[in-house]
Amino acid sequence: MLRGAALRVTRPRTAVLSAVHAHPHADTDSILRAVRRELPKVSHQAVYDSLHALTAAGLVRRIQPSGSVARYEARVGDNHHHIVCRSCGAVADADCAVGEAPCLTASDDRGFSIDEAEVIYWGLCPACAARESS
């Protein structure tokens, strides 16, 4: 994947890409912890640089729901959205209602060539909803 995106293959990049695939919607600290299980001496900066390079190359996607830290996912190339729990912050994917980008058509595109729509649904995950109802 790295070579296909014209990126140099390095141990930190490989480990970061693996961590993002293994932990969808993980924040940077979680990715750092996962990478350090494989590369104990990797620096924060190496992980940040790898995330930046992978995002710029389109191999990972960075999302940042309002009030949340940045999170990363490996699901790229489609126009899916996210559901965020207001209580615990859990994030889940939600497929586009129409199925192709952009799944929402702006009432007035103001001359923009729209290629993506980002929607975040907010609510309570099943565990938090069960806790609130009991």
Side-chain angles (χ1 to χ4, degrees), residues 25-87:
H25 310 120
D27 62 20
T28 308
D29 288 340
S30 299
I31 293 169
L32 178 64
R33 283 192 302 275
V35 169
R36 283 193 171 157
R37 284 192 282 276
E38 184 180 333
L39 301 173
K41 296 186 183 206
V42 72
S43 69
H44 278 86
Q45 193 61 49
V47 171
Y48 288 123
D49 290 348
S50 295
L51 285 168
H52 179 75
L54 295 170
T55 301
L59 296 178
V60 302
R61 180 178 175 195
R62 180 184 187 273
I63 63 167
Q64 189 166 6
S66 179
S68 175
V69 298
R71 296 170 179 269
Y72 296 87
E73 65 181 348
R75 185 175 172 185
V76 297
D78 67 353
N79 198 38
H80 73 279
H81 308 299
H82 297 94
I83 306 169
V84 180
C85 180
R86 290 186 188 277
S87 181

